[in-house]
Amino acid sequence: MPTPVSADSPVLVIYTGGTLGMVETARGLAPAGHIEERLRRALASLPPGRQASLPAFEVLEIDRPIDSSSATPDDWQRLAALVAQHYRQHAGVVILHGTDTLAWTASSLAFQLPGLDRPVILTGAMRPLEAEESDAAANVEDALRFAVTPRLQEVAICFAGRLLRGCRTRKWRTRETDAFTSPNQPLLGERVDDEVVLYPGRGLADHQRGAPRFELADYAPLAAGGVVRLALWPGIQAWQLEAWLRDDRVRGAVLEVWGGGNLPDDPALAGALARASGEGKLLTALSQCPHGPVAFGAYAAGQGLAEAGVLSADDMTPEATFTKLVHLLALPLREEERRRRFLTPLAGER
């Protein structure tokens, strides 16, 4: 049964690093400590009415904050374990994370923490807490307020006043504060004036029932390159694909194909994919277009993918496709079950 949450339970804020907590140095932005003190000082600068609406929170800072561009599947695994260890004592969890791989971490957490019965929200900032015109305090404020919304029962990203499904989100802009988008899924909610609003019928809580059923697998065997990501380009050759896929360390691959799921008309390419698939490697294909799904067979050029045993990623993001492969390959599943689960929505990702 889901663990009851007291209305007085604080939110847990986990600080992992990123621009939000950095300070300016002679060599540029660099990680800095004392994050709780700095965070509370920044939130104290909000207008009194908005301060009064903030829930109580506690801060947990990981031992070694990282730049998110250095994050690995090992970091995703450790963070999921940390959430699983602490979430029962809190109304929700807010994770402060660097923006570069924030969508990757959110996607991985969605697959490791299925059946959540409270919010786990990731946020960060494009500018540090103390920087002029920083977006940090507003992002944390919104995330905290969404984190005590009982109807929100999944991993989400809160950024620039918008709430997006974690495994449907991509970083889309390098500098603007509205850096994230959800190309194939509508917003879960957003800030409207001074209120945070969840849109009915869009959250997983409207479609799932039951207790959390976390899957905290060992990602270590895959952390050193067990899954690869390959984008096709005009003129790609079979030997180039095989240079990746023949390596015994590679157990899965994300192929970014053209349009609705097309492959060059080259039997050698299809043969390379079929050999890898026949060896038990889990191959998936998604479109290089950010909007819309792949659908093998709409064109003759896509038949080779299906015949080679490549699985359709439908309208998933590259981040969700990659992290789902890592997760399924880390679980002790038979090959046919892995393939079935890849084609099944596990966290609203497809």
Side-chain angles (χ1 to χ4, degrees):
M1 292 293 292
T3 306
V5 182
S6 165
D8 299 324
S9 298
V11 174
L12 176 64
V13 176
I14 301 175
Y15 174 65
T16 69
T19 298
L20 180 146
M22 291 183 176
V23 296
E24 192 69 56
T25 72
R27 300 186 63 182
L29 291 174
H34 307 292
I35 191 65
E36 180 170 3
E37 175 187 338
R38 296 165 58 210
L39 188 59
R40 293 189 184 278
R41 187 186 311 128
L43 293 173
S45 68
L46 296 172
R50 286 163 58 186
Q51 286 186 54
S53 69
L54 289 175
F57 65 90
E58 300 171 354
V59 177
L60 175 62
E61 186 172 344
I62 66 170
D63 294 337
R64 198 166 46 85
I66 62 169
D67 184 312
S68 76
S69 61
S70 299
T72 69
D74 284 334
D75 294 306
W76 304 336
Q77 179 184 341
R78 283 191 288 267
L79 188 53
L82 203 57
V83 172
Q85 178 184 350
H86 293 282
Y87 84 101
R88 291 184 183 87
Q89 292 80 45
H90 298 88
V93 178
V94 170
I95 299 170
L96 307 182
H97 195 286
T99 61
D100 282 346
T101 61
L102 188 148
W104 296 78
T105 298
S107 294
S108 180
L109 292 179
F111 298 125
Q112 294 183 80
L113 305 172
L116 273 169
D117 59 0
R118 66 204 73 189
V120 171
I121 300 175
L122 290 88
T123 193
M126 302 302 285
R127 301 184 182 91
L129 270 169
E130 291 86 1
E132 186 176 350
E133 298 184 353
S134 172
D135 56 331
N139 284 345
V140 174
E141 174 194 4
D142 291 341
L144 286 170
R145 294 168 70 186
F146 274 120
V148 289
T149 308
R151 278 202 308 116
L152 180 61
Q153 299 178 9
E154 59 184 285
V155 177
I157 290 174
C158 185
F159 218 90
R162 302 186 302 162
L163 188 73
L164 308 98
R165 174 161 296 151
C167 56
R168 282 286 198 165
T169 304
R170 307 193 68 188
K171 185 176 180 183
W172 207 242
R173 299 177 179 86
T174 61
R175 296 191 177 186
E176 289 85 350
T177 54
D178 59 338
F180 290 87
T181 188
S182 179
N184 293 309
Q185 171 76 26
L187 297 178
L188 298 179
E190 60 188 318
R191 183 181 64 242
V192 180
D193 297 325
D194 285 340
E195 301 295 327
V196 292
V197 177
L198 279 185
Y199 294 123
R202 297 183 184 179
L204 292 183
D206 297 307
H207 309 286
Q208 68 182 9
R209 295 291 183 270
R213 48 190 189 280
F214 297 167
E215 296 179 343
L216 304 176
D218 181 11
Y219 283 8
L222 295 154
V227 176
V228 298
R229 178 181 176 187
L230 305 170
L232 302 192
W233 64 88
I236 188 172
Q237 300 297 304
W239 68 264
Q240 293 170 310
L241 270 183
E242 290 177 332
W244 288 90
L245 299 180
R246 280 189 170 178
D247 193 309
D248 291 339
R249 293 169 294 184
V250 173
R251 296 180 55 199
V254 177
L255 305 171
E256 297 188 17
V257 301
W258 292 301
N262 295 326
L263 189 71
D265 184 16
D266 179 354
L269 278 176
L273 297 175
R275 279 191 294 275
S277 184
E279 293 168 358
K281 298 185 179 186
L282 199 58
L283 308 183
T284 69
L286 72 156
S287 178
Q288 293 180 18
C289 302
H291 295 271
V294 294
F296 300 164
Y299 291 86
Q303 289 291 348
L305 289 167
E307 292 168 356
V310 178
L311 300 175
S312 168
D314 195 46
D315 62 350
M316 290 166 64
T317 64
E319 296 85 347
T321 307
F322 187 96
T323 56
K324 188 173 185 178
L325 277 189
V326 169
H327 185 67
L328 293 177
L329 288 165
L331 293 173
L333 302 172
R334 297 174 62 178
E335 182 182 350
E336 63 182 47
E337 177 61 11
R338 277 200 189 97
R339 295 174 68 85
R340 186 195 69 79
R341 290 191 64 180
F342 183 82
L343 295 172
T344 302
L346 303 181
E349 76 283 2
R350 59 183 295 159

